[in-house]
Amino acid sequence: MCTELNNKDEKQLRKLAFEEKKVIDQEINTLYKKLFQILVPKHKHDECDVILELVSGRTTGGDICQMFTKEIFEMYQNYADHKSWTFEILNYVPTDMGGLHHAAACISGDSVYRYLKFEGGTHRVQRIPEIGLSSRMQRIHTGTASVVVLPQSEKVEVKVNPKDLRIDTFRAKGAGGQHVNKTDSAVRIVHLPTGVTVECQQERSQQLNKEKALQTLSAKLYQQIIERDRSQMQNTRKLQLETRSQSERIRTYNFIQDRVTDHRISYQVRNIKEFLLGEEALDELISRLLESAEMEALIKHVENFKSFEEGG
């Protein structure tokens, strides 16, 4: 016995069907991601904590780079909070104008390196300085900030011979050029065989600053070990620029057009202020970078498997 549906019943059924389709699509997407993670070869450092370093670049004028470096550093600090990670500042050298020369932080938590490994590289900023000039006199200034992401592994111990170190001490400086204290508590360590230099001035204790500087030095030396083996992990780190080669920009923050562009995946985000909050917008971009890298790694994995079968 057939029962004809009236318009009201048909609309309700159609609504239920659309809602059910939405739920099924979400379940399919979740299963797709789980299958993807199972198939894609995992990076052996994905679960590691990281040392994050930022260095201000050069600009066509003003303090664009220093202010931008500070904004980027605070963005990652907020992102760590968003991901419930621990963010410990190891070094922070501000400028007299309120910007940031360079800084370093240790970020620890769940899969930190997995999420931050593609943030290493040159970040470019384009903006008009807020200096009170008339619109006719204002010009677009371009600057950069270099970001370095170093994985920390508890499984690998980097042995450093004390004879290979030159340790210097100096007075720590805070914002505005004021001394944090009157003693030479800040520490700079140079690894003589490699020329790697680190420094720390966050603590009032010289010993604590030395310990944190050694921690950063170990991470940098460990990164060199990784770079020697980079051919083995080339596919899973394709989007990550080499630590010592920061010549190519990975992302542009265009304040004039209120747009962030990641050049590796041609992905754009509107609303720079929201992006710099280091929350959902940044997390979405990082997720897309991960998906792109994992897809390339999966394709390469399948190609290698086919080559193995054909060769066998």
Side-chain angles (χ1 to χ4, degrees):
M1 181 178 179
C2 297
T3 304
E4 292 186 4
L5 298 175
N6 57 37
N7 290 337
K8 184 178 180 180
D9 292 335
E10 187 176 347
K11 288 181 179 179
Q12 289 179 343
L13 285 174
R14 188 174 297 176
K15 183 180 179 181
L16 288 172
F18 278 121
E19 291 177 351
E20 186 175 355
K21 181 181 182 299
K22 186 177 180 180
V23 172
I24 292 174
D25 287 342
Q26 290 176 345
E27 291 177 352
I28 291 174
N29 189 44
T30 300
L31 291 172
Y32 169 77
K33 288 183 178 180
K34 287 182 178 180
L35 178 61
F36 211 62
Q37 292 174 358
I38 293 172
L39 294 175
V40 173
K42 292 185 178 179
H43 194 296
K44 65 180 181 180
H45 302 294
D46 275 354
E47 300 301 319
C48 292
D49 298 338
V50 307
I51 295 291
L52 175 75
E53 283 194 318
L54 275 79
V55 180
S56 174
R58 296 180 179 179
T59 182
T60 54
D63 300 299
I64 296 297
C65 288
Q66 290 80 12
M67 294 305 299
F68 177 59
T69 303
K70 180 181 179 182
E71 289 172 316
I72 295 297
F73 186 77
E74 291 174 349
M75 177 184 75
Y76 289 123
Q77 191 170 15
N78 291 337
Y79 186 63
D81 183 64
H82 178 71
K83 303 292 285 188
S84 299
W85 295 335
T86 299
F87 191 96
E88 179 186 6
I89 297 177
L90 301 177
N91 192 37
Y92 192 92
V93 183
T95 67
D96 293 341
M97 300 298 293
L100 180 63
H101 280 302
H102 62 270
C106 176
I107 308 178
S108 56
D110 184 26
S111 303
V112 178
Y113 186 70
R114 178 176 185 269
Y115 286 95
L116 294 182
K117 60 187 174 184
F118 298 135
E119 292 302 292
T122 299
H123 295 236
R124 184 177 69 168
V125 61
Q126 293 178 314
R127 74 194 325 168
I128 297 175
E130 298 177 1
I131 53 177
L133 297 178
S134 66
S135 58
R136 291 184 179 181
M137 296 178 66
Q138 289 178 331
R139 293 188 303 172
I140 298 175
H141 287 232
T142 299
T144 60
S146 295
V147 177
V148 178
V149 181
L150 307 171
Q152 284 191 299
S153 177
E154 297 178 356
K155 298 179 181 179
V156 178
E157 182 180 353
V158 180
K159 295 182 179 180
V160 179
N161 190 334
K163 295 181 180 180
D164 292 336
L165 302 179
R166 188 183 79 228
I167 302 177
D168 303 320
T169 58
F170 57 97
R171 290 188 178 183
K173 290 185 177 181
Q178 299 298 317
H179 289 111
V180 174
N181 52 50
K182 297 181 180 180
T183 62
D184 293 340
S185 62
V187 175
R188 181 184 297 109
I189 300 178
V190 180
H191 187 247
L192 299 176
T194 61
V196 174
T197 302
V198 298
E199 63 179 49
C200 184
Q201 59 174 322
Q202 288 308 111
E203 305 294 338
R204 290 184 176 273
S205 165
Q206 184 182 110
Q207 181 60 33
L208 288 176
N209 282 330
K210 180 180 177 182
E211 291 174 1
K212 289 187 176 183
L214 285 171
Q215 179 186 10
T216 304
L217 176 64
S218 295
K220 285 194 171 186
L221 294 178
Y222 179 52
Q223 178 70 4
Q224 291 188 348
I225 295 174
I226 295 174
E227 291 301 323
R228 285 199 295 266
D229 298 332
R230 64 192 170 117
S231 60
Q232 300 176 7
M233 59 181 86
Q234 185 75 26
N235 299 315
T236 55
R237 298 180 71 241
K238 189 172 182 180
L239 299 180
Q240 167 76 59
L241 294 181
E242 293 180 14
T243 301
R244 294 183 176 273
S245 178
Q246 304 284 351
S247 59
E248 296 183 12
R249 68 184 187 277
I250 64 169
R251 193 175 298 156
T252 295
Y253 303 70
N254 189 318
F255 280 80
I256 299 93
Q257 298 178 1
D258 197 22
R259 182 182 66 224
V260 178
T261 303
D262 194 287
H263 303 289
R264 296 161 295 180
I265 56 175
S266 301
Y267 179 72
Q268 294 186 350
V269 180
R270 295 288 179 176
N271 194 333
I272 289 184
K273 288 186 178 180
E274 181 180 343
F275 186 83
L276 289 174
L277 291 177
E279 297 176 348
E280 287 82 4
L282 175 59
D283 198 39
E284 174 64 20
L285 173 54
I286 288 176
S287 295
R288 288 178 179 266
L289 284 167
L290 285 172
E291 289 175 4
S292 176
E294 289 171 352
M295 177 61 76
E296 290 191 18
L298 180 59
I299 293 172
K300 187 66 176 179
H301 184 64
V302 171
E303 289 177 349
N304 290 338
F305 181 75
K306 287 183 178 180
S307 298
F308 175 78
E309 280 193 326
E310 292 172 358

